[in-house]
Amino acid sequence: MSQLTLRAAALLLDMDGTLVHSGGEVETVWRLWCRRHRLDPEPVLAMCHGVRSREVIRALAPELDLAREVALLDELEIRHTGQGEAIKGCRAVLSALPVGCWALVTSASQEVARHRLQSAGLPLPSLLVGAQEVEHGKPDPEPYLLAAGRLGLAPADCLVFEDAPAGIRSALAAGCPVVQVGGKERLDPAVLAVIQDWRQVTVRLDEGGGLQLALLI
């Protein structure tokens, strides 16, 4: 393995698949929803990872009442979140970060995100940009632009950790550098590095108050 050193003013972190193992729960919820509406689950499962539920519904079932279905899906996600499993190493990294130096940027709702983090025993961020905070969800750049703006930082100074193609495209379009979590190959050639879990990451504060990260890749 080699070491890659990166610097950032803050970290912007996705949740599902990046901090918490939840892919199975997400697919279970969408299969239940598809069964309820007698829809083929395969197109839904191909689209749902890293994307807000409202985008999936608009694309694949636009005839349904959007607000009602989003609320139903949130209810199902909370009901079917078991004892959450954090991605290895992320609890230690998050615990070492100053409160104002990281934010969560997720396609889940605020309620679902907080529930999932707490179930996995992870700290809650001071800034959480969820599904309700943006007009356009991932892969649009708006979520990451909003998070950087609320931290008072330029997107280029915010290092993003993402696992899904939609999230990676969102962050890159916003002008943020990106590290991919999981997978053997880069999902986009612009990704700086690929890590399998957070045990490959160490972080410390530099003399100027920024973050210095060492990645074993």
Side-chain angles (χ1 to χ4, degrees), residues 33 37 57 61-73:
W33 183 81
H37 293 294
I57 297 165
E63 71 282 2
L64 297 177
D65 183 298
L66 183 62
R68 182 188 305 166
E69 299 306 321
V70 167
L72 171 62
L73 283 159

Side-chain angles (χ1 to χ4, degrees), residues 14-122:
D14 176 51
M15 180 180 66
D16 294 316
T18 299
L19 299 178
V20 181
H21 289 290
S22 52
E25 293 171 352
V26 169
E27 292 198 359
T28 294
V29 164
W30 279 108
R31 287 185 185 278
L32 289 170
W33 183 81
C34 288
R35 188 183 307 161
R36 178 188 181 99
H37 293 294
R38 298 181 181 180
L39 296 172
D40 179 3
E42 296 312 314
V44 173
L45 297 180
M47 181 182 180
C48 68
H49 291 287
V51 177
R52 293 188 305 175
S53 57
R54 65 191 63 231
E55 265 83 49
V56 179
I57 297 165
R58 283 173 180 153
L60 301 177
E63 71 282 2
L64 297 177
D65 183 298
L66 183 62
R68 182 188 305 166
E69 299 306 321
V70 167
L72 171 62
L73 283 159
D74 277 359
E75 179 185 332
L76 288 172
E77 287 211 66
I78 290 172
R79 189 187 308 165
H80 290 276
T81 294
Q83 184 61 43
E85 181 185 356
I87 303 291
K88 290 180 179 178
C90 76
R91 187 176 292 110
V93 171
L94 294 182
S95 297
L97 290 172
V99 173
C101 286
W102 70 285
L104 194 74
V105 184
T106 177
S107 294
S109 69
Q110 289 267 348
E111 185 179 18
V112 168
R114 293 178 186 278
H115 179 78
R116 192 161 282 157
L117 289 175
Q118 289 174 330
S119 75
L122 295 175

